[in-house]
Amino acid sequence: MSVELTPPHELRAAFARAMSRRYAEEVPAYQTLVDVCLAINTEAVESGAYDGSVGSVGRITEERHGAIRVGSPAELHDVARLFGVLGMHPVGFYDLREAAARSVPVVSTAFRPVDPEDLDRNAFRVFTSMLVPADRRFFDAETQREIEARVAVRELLPPGLREQLNAAEQRGGVPVDEAEAFVALAVRTFELDREPLDAAFYDHLAAISSVAADIGAEPGTHINHLTPRVLDIDELYARMQALGITMIDRIQGPPRWDGPLVLLRQTSFRALDEVRAVRLPDGRVEQRPLRVRFGEVEARGVALTLEGRRRYDELLAAVDLELAETPGASYQPLAAPRFAAALPADQRGLAREGLAYHHYRPGRPVSDTDGSATSIDALLAGGNLDVQPIVYEDFLPKSAAGIFQSNLTSDGTRREADGMHQDAGTLAEAMQREVLDPYALYAAQQRASRHVALEALGLDPAQVAGA
Ligand code: OOG
Ligand code: NI
């Protein structure tokens, strides 16, 4: 007898929708954000301002990323198993301990679908950070021990979910008639716990880093934010402010400029006070406003190659330096002309310089007299190949650091000491699964589309330079 299994993308879509409903109940301004995004996206499509190049409207409107934080390798393993059943795989390694100016003692990866068709069905992703209590720049030995002891005895998964994960891994999926119950348990995993927090330990960790307190002094994990995707983030920023919602001082990532949107632009509004119960050292329970969560929104553009990324990072560093040296200067007007000077003004230009990843399509047929069929660059120049951007599906450490920091109530503390070395391998070992390289994923997708396009033009990919 065989049971019918739910396709992972359906589970993922159901999970993303249920999370979105739950988060709207917990953080009401989030619903305002989603409504404004939907209005802007609908207008962009109806007016023809959006050409469809960075994803279908259905995908963009449903798209969200979440952020969660866990306390140990074992907890990372648990969430990796849960996301695995939803068709989400760990991609990329981010060391926020290095990227952030303030105290952010975590390393991260992002769980997401990796196949292009799967991404288009539902692109839900979760930026997942793990606390590093062994890092002496932040934690002394006693604090490390205390965090590890508390994290070791807590259980992130609600009762029943571990058994469901075991069964799903064994059967290769979740039976259709169990999908709803599975999704409900998955959502519960990321709800805010209501048990009183230990005030003394919370304050001890908060003095080191609010992020550490949010992880190590909580009884479980919770979604920190849920981020919709918008087609015009400048318009979104203006409309949210007009609605009286105070946004952080700017949009992070590349500026708005005349050329194509590269990578990712993000902005957010400040964490809202949420009343939480805390237990004082004398045993009394008191209500306290805590600021840990907030609203974020993003616009996604074309994925950059390593070379493109190097150029982008250099540009950003130069702009930052100039900003620091120029009193009264602001990011957008300063950065926009620098980007225009340093990057090609259209997708074809980005493709020809090898700066971004594209989906290739056959263009004008190749004629015998063309003489252009020898390289990808010549075929692009001759209009024999057309390109569509491959959407950037990942995150930016600098923006992520900015998002973490906009969320902190103080600088926290960091000493000079040896940091605990962490890399993609450390996370892979904890999760018992490979951390995928985002560049390799984009490159494989580009290569496959080039081969199909070349064959459609009657060319042998093996004979075309750069294919
Ligand atoms: C995650 C911050 C990173 C982003 O969009 O870059 C992030 C967090 O605050 O836990 O979500
Ligand atoms: Ni985020």
Side-chain angles (χ1 to χ4, degrees):
M1 199 190 77
S2 73
V3 278
E4 197 193 335
L5 299 175
T6 324
H9 70 87
E10 281 180 17
L11 274 184
R12 181 169 70 250
F15 173 68
R17 276 195 291 271
M19 286 291 290
S20 192
R21 277 196 300 274
R22 191 77 197 92
Y23 197 60
E25 288 164 18
E26 291 183 354
V27 181
Y30 164 77
Q31 191 56 51
T32 310
L33 183 67
V34 169
D35 293 343
V36 176
C37 285
L38 183 59
I40 291 174
N41 293 350
T42 309
E43 283 165 29
V45 172
E46 282 171 359
S47 72
Y50 178 52
D51 64 3
S53 65
V54 284
S56 70
V57 180
R59 167 184 160 167
I60 291 168
T61 305
E62 284 235 338
E63 193 164 328
R64 304 280 187 275
H65 86 245
I68 62 161
R69 302 149 175 195
V70 300
S72 67
E75 290 187 352
L76 185 64
H77 186 218
D78 282 346
V79 298
R81 294 181 63 199
L82 172 54
F83 293 139
V85 174
L86 303 173
M88 298 154 75
H89 311 279
V91 180
F93 173 76
Y94 306 83
D95 194 339
L96 275 305
R97 301 171 304 168
E98 301 298 333
R102 296 163 109 187
S103 180
V104 183
V106 302
V107 291
S108 315
T109 187
F111 290 91
R112 66 167 177 87
V114 294
D115 290 335
E117 310 84 67
D118 210 22
L119 279 159
D120 203 44
R121 288 192 198 111
N122 182 281
F124 188 64
R125 40 174 104 65
V126 179
F127 192 88
T128 302
S129 302
M130 180 180 80
L131 192 66
V132 189
D135 192 322
R136 284 285 172 269
R137 291 172 296 183
F138 306 99
F139 307 102
D140 59 31
E142 200 188 318
T143 305
Q144 175 189 356
R145 263 197 306 279
E146 183 68 24
I147 293 173
E148 286 174 350
R150 286 172 184 248
V151 168
V153 295
R154 71 185 190 181
E155 170 62 274
L156 296 191
L157 307 180
L161 185 52
R162 192 172 295 283
E163 293 70 25
Q164 294 236 17
L165 288 179
N166 293 341
E169 284 174 356
Q170 247 161 37
R171 285 191 283 220
V174 177
V176 170
D177 59 1
E178 289 173 26
E180 213 180 296
F182 183 88
V183 168
L185 285 177
V187 170
R188 275 227 352 241
T189 310
F190 303 108
E191 279 174 7
L192 195 63
D193 295 283
R194 293 294 169 188
E195 271 171 57
L197 304 172
D198 175 340
F201 192 58
Y202 194 96
D203 293 342
H204 173 64
L205 290 188
I208 298 169
S209 156
S210 330
V211 177
D214 185 48
I215 304 172
E218 284 278 349
T221 187
H222 48 259
I223 192 89
N224 176 270
H225 58 270
L226 207 55
T227 301
R229 181 171 165 200
V230 72
L231 287 166
D232 185 343
I233 197 168
D234 301 288
E235 178 63 23
L236 182 283
Y237 189 96
R239 284 197 205 177
M240 290 297 282
Q241 278 199 316
L243 287 170
I245 294 170
T246 312
M247 306 298 284
I248 60 167
D249 63 348
R250 72 171 175 92
I251 297 167
Q252 310 209 319
R256 173 181 72 253
W257 67 298
D258 289 339
L261 170 56
V262 299
L263 300 170
L264 175 64
R265 298 179 73 204
Q266 298 179 308
T267 193
S268 58
F269 53 86
R270 260 310 297 254
L272 309 164
D273 279 348
E274 290 178 271
V275 179
R276 293 291 301 277
V278 297
R279 192 182 309 283
L280 302 172
D282 63 10
R284 275 182 306 128
V285 172
E286 175 184 276
Q287 304 296 319
R288 231 202 231 184
L290 273 190
R291 276 194 166 193
V292 284
R293 307 201 291 176
F294 66 111
E296 183 192 42
V297 62
E298 66 192 9
R300 289 186 173 266
V302 66
L304 296 185
T305 60
L306 269 176
E307 175 55 22
R309 181 58 183 272
R310 201 189 49 74
R311 200 178 291 187
Y312 169 81
D313 286 338
E314 260 175 34
L315 253 170
L316 225 52
V319 168
D320 276 352
L321 201 66
E322 239 185 299
L323 265 180
E325 287 170 350
T326 322
S330 64
Y331 178 75
Q332 172 61 40
L334 198 138
R338 306 287 181 282
F339 270 68
L343 291 177
D346 59 16
Q347 296 290 350
R348 191 178 292 266
L350 286 169
R352 290 192 60 190
E353 290 189 37
L355 299 176
Y357 291 110
H358 292 90
H359 185 82
Y360 282 68
R361 299 228 180 108
R364 191 174 62 78
V366 179
S367 60
D368 292 343
T369 53
D370 249 355
S372 64
T374 50
S375 73
I376 291 287
D377 186 53
L379 289 164
L380 276 170
N384 307 106
L385 286 174
D386 286 334
V387 290
Q388 287 268 79
I390 293 179
V391 178
Y392 188 59
E393 306 289 353
D394 296 287
F395 293 85
L396 296 170
K398 247 193 117 218
S399 306
I403 297 299
F404 267 111
Q405 279 162 205
S406 67
N407 220 358
L408 303 182
T409 34
S410 75
D411 282 353
T413 46
R414 168 155 61 179
R415 289 183 298 272
E416 281 307 313
D418 272 348
M420 181 79 190
H421 176 78
Q422 300 271 303
D423 56 25
T426 328
L427 297 189
E429 196 180 317
M431 294 184 287
Q432 295 295 299
R433 55 198 80 202
E434 191 186 349
V435 176
L436 302 170
D437 171 10
Y439 291 97
L441 293 172
Y442 298 124
Q445 195 184 333
Q446 171 171 275
R447 197 176 319 110
S449 77
R450 274 181 180 170
H451 284 204
V452 172
L454 291 173
E455 275 157 12
L457 288 171
L459 300 172
D460 174 1
Q463 304 298 320
V464 177

